[in-house]
Amino acid sequence: MSLFLTLSFCQFVILLINRLNTFLLSNSYNTFDCVINTPASFNFANSELQRMLKRNIKFFIIVLLTLTFFKAQSQQKVLGLKEAEQIALANYGSIKAKTNQLNASRAYLTETKTEQLPDVNISAQQDYGTVNSQFGPLYGYKGFNVASSGPITNTQNWNAAFGSLYLSNVSWDFFSFGKAVEKVKVQKSTVSLNETDLVQEQFQHEVRVASTYLNLLAAQQLSKAQQDNLNRAVDLQKVVVARVKNGLNPGVDSSQANAEVSNARIALTNAKETEEEQSNQLAQYLGIPPQSFNLDSTFVTKPPASAGLQAQINLADHPLLRFYQNRINVSDEVAKYLNTFSYPTFTLFGVYQGRGSGFSSDYGSNPGAYSSSYGAGADPTRFNYLFGVGLIWNITNPLRVHYQVKSQKYTSAQYQDEYNLVSQQLSDQQVLAETRINNAMKNFRESPEEVRAATDAYRQKYALYQNGLANIVDFTQALYVLNRAEVDNYIVKNNVWQALLYKAAATGDFGVFINNF
C-alpha cells in the first residue's frame, strides 16, 4: 500500500512539474512580448527571477518526493518471528481442523455419559379396527406397551370401533458388567488423544514456521550477496572495457568480463527464485495470501544468548511422544470395552398405560355392544401397569469377543513399537542437536575471518588489475572467493539458529528457541 501511494505521488509530482514548466514558459513569452515597452534592466531581473523560481520549485519538489519515498519505505511493517508464530497458529488450516476434532470428541463424551440414563418414553395412539384376540398379558422386550386384550369369540367377525392407547415406559440397563463405564473411559481417552494431537500439531507447526522464516531470511541475504556480486562484476566489466579500448589489455579480457556479468545475473535470478519459493511457503504456513515479507534480520547477526540452555521438559513429555502414548491408552481402553460384551445385560423396565375402546364390557356375550363413534374409543376406561427385570445374553458372544480383544491388543503392541521408535529417534536427535550447535558456533566464529581475508584479496587484485599488474584470471578468482565468503557468512550465521531450532524440535521445548527473541 505504501509503495502504491508513493507511485501515485510520483505521478502527481511529474504532472505538477510539467504544468509549472508550461506556466513559466507562457510567462516568458508574455514578458518577451512586452520587452519593447519595458526597461531592459527590468526585463533582465524578471527573467532571472523566473529562472530562480523555476529551479527552487523543482528542487523543493524533488526533496519532498525523496522524503516521502523514504518515509513510506521506513513505515513498511517488519514481520517478527513471534508475530509470525501467532499468525500461523491462528490461521493454519490443520490446526483449525484438529481444534474442531477436539471439540467434537468433547461433545461426544458428554453424550456418552448420558447413555447411562434410563430410556423414558411416552406414547399416545388412536386406532380403528377389529378386536379378535386372546386373553393374557404380554410384554415385548424393550417394548412400549402391555398387550392386554379383550374376550375370545367363537367365530371371526368384522365388527370395528375406535380404540386408544396412552402409556409411559421406562427401560434401564442397570447392570452390564461395566460396559457403560468402559465406554465413557474410551471416550475420555479419545478426548485426551485429540488434545495431545492438537498440541503436537501446534508444536510441529511452530517449528515449521520458524524453519521457513529462517530459510526465507537466508534466501533474502543470499539474494543481497548475489546482487553485490553482480555490482562488482559490472564494475569489473567497466574497467576491462576501458583498458581494452585503450589497448592496455587484450580483447579476450572483455569477453571474460562479459561472461562474469552474465554468470552473476544468472546467480541473482536463481537466488530470487529461491527467495520467492520460501516466501510462498511462509505465506502458506501463515494462512495468508502470497506476498513479499520484510523480515527481522537483526537477531541473526549475533549468536543466541542461551544456545546452551537445557530443555525444561523430560523426553516422555515431548508433545509427539505424548500423542503416541495416548494412542496406546485409547487402544487399551477399547480392548477393555470390547471385553464387556462377553457378559449379559440386566434391564429394569416398567410400563403404565391407559386404554379406551368403543367395544362395551359385555361385547363377548352381546356382539352388538359396541359403538363406532370416535369419542367412545378415544376416552381411556381401563388402565394397566407392569414392571419387571430382564436379562439378555448372547452366549456365543464370548467366542467372538475373545478374538476382537486379541486383535485390539496386537494394535496396542503396534502403537507401543511406534512409540519406542519415535522415542529412540528423538533421543538420538537430541545428541545430534548438541553437536550441530557446537559446530555451528565454531563456523560462526571463523566466518568473519574468511570475509575479511577475501575482501582484502579482492581489493588488492582490483588495484593490481587497474594498474596492469594482474591478469583477469587472478581478478575473477578473487571475485569468486569474495562472493563465496559472503555467501558462507550468511549461511553460517543462519545455521546457528537452525541448529538451535533443531534442538528445540528434538527436546519438545520450543522455549529453548523462541525465548531468545
Side-chain angles (χ1 to χ4, degrees), residues 14-153:
I14 293 172
L15 178 62
L16 179 61
I17 292 175
N18 292 334
R19 293 293 177 87
L20 285 173
N21 287 335
T22 304
F23 173 76
L24 292 175
L25 288 174
S26 64
N27 287 345
S28 298
Y29 296 147
N30 294 337
T31 303
F32 178 77
D33 292 339
C34 299
V35 73
I36 300 176
N37 300 321
T38 306
S41 60
F42 180 78
N43 291 335
F44 176 77
N46 188 26
S47 61
E48 287 296 323
L49 179 62
Q50 290 178 7
R51 284 195 295 272
M52 184 180 299
L53 180 61
K54 182 177 180 180
R55 286 197 302 270
N56 290 339
I57 290 177
K58 286 185 176 181
F59 176 76
F60 172 75
I61 292 175
I62 292 174
V63 171
L64 181 62
L65 175 61
T66 303
L67 292 176
T68 303
F69 175 77
F70 282 107
K71 182 179 180 181
Q73 290 296 105
S74 64
Q75 290 179 345
Q76 186 176 2
K77 185 174 178 60
V78 176
L79 178 64
L81 182 56
K82 285 188 175 181
E83 182 182 1
E85 295 287 359
Q86 294 174 354
I87 295 174
L89 293 178
N91 294 342
Y92 197 57
S94 67
I95 295 178
K96 290 182 177 179
K98 291 186 182 298
T99 301
N100 287 326
Q101 181 184 27
L102 174 59
N103 293 334
S105 63
R106 286 173 174 169
Y108 187 67
L109 173 60
T110 304
E111 187 276 335
T112 303
K113 292 179 179 179
T114 62
E115 290 183 6
Q116 302 181 52
L117 300 176
D119 297 331
V120 179
N121 303 286
I122 59 174
S123 174
Q125 58 175 288
Q126 296 170 350
D127 313 290
Y128 180 80
T130 60
V131 292
N132 297 290
S133 187
Q134 295 176 336
F135 288 110
L138 177 66
Y139 171 75
Y141 178 73
K142 286 186 178 291
F144 293 138
N145 68 293
V146 177
S148 300
S149 302
I152 302 173
T153 58

Side-chain angles (χ1 to χ4, degrees), residues 217 221 297-304 444 489-490 493-494 497:
L217 183 58
Q221 292 175 327
S297 60
T298 57
F299 70 91
V300 80
T301 58
K302 55 184 181 297
F444 186 90
N489 184 52
Y490 287 131
K493 291 179 178 179
N494 195 280
W497 293 90

Side-chain angles (χ1 to χ4, degrees), residues 226-242 253-254 256-266 268 458 462 465-466 472 475-476 479:
Q226 298 304 335
Q227 182 63 58
D228 294 340
N229 184 57
L230 175 60
N231 294 339
R232 288 191 292 266
V234 171
D235 292 339
L236 167 64
Q237 184 185 44
K238 292 178 181 178
V239 172
V240 171
V241 169
D253 283 9
S254 62
Q256 188 165 349
N258 293 337
E260 289 295 332
V261 171
S262 297
N263 179 266
R265 285 173 177 162
I266 292 174
L268 177 60
Y458 170 78
Y462 185 74
Y465 185 80
Q466 280 184 317
I472 193 171
F475 186 43
T476 54
L479 183 67

Side-chain angles (χ1 to χ4, degrees), residues 315-326:
L315 180 62
D317 292 328
H318 192 291
L320 191 58
L321 287 182
R322 290 182 60 197
F323 169 69
Y324 275 87
Q325 181 59 54
N326 277 324

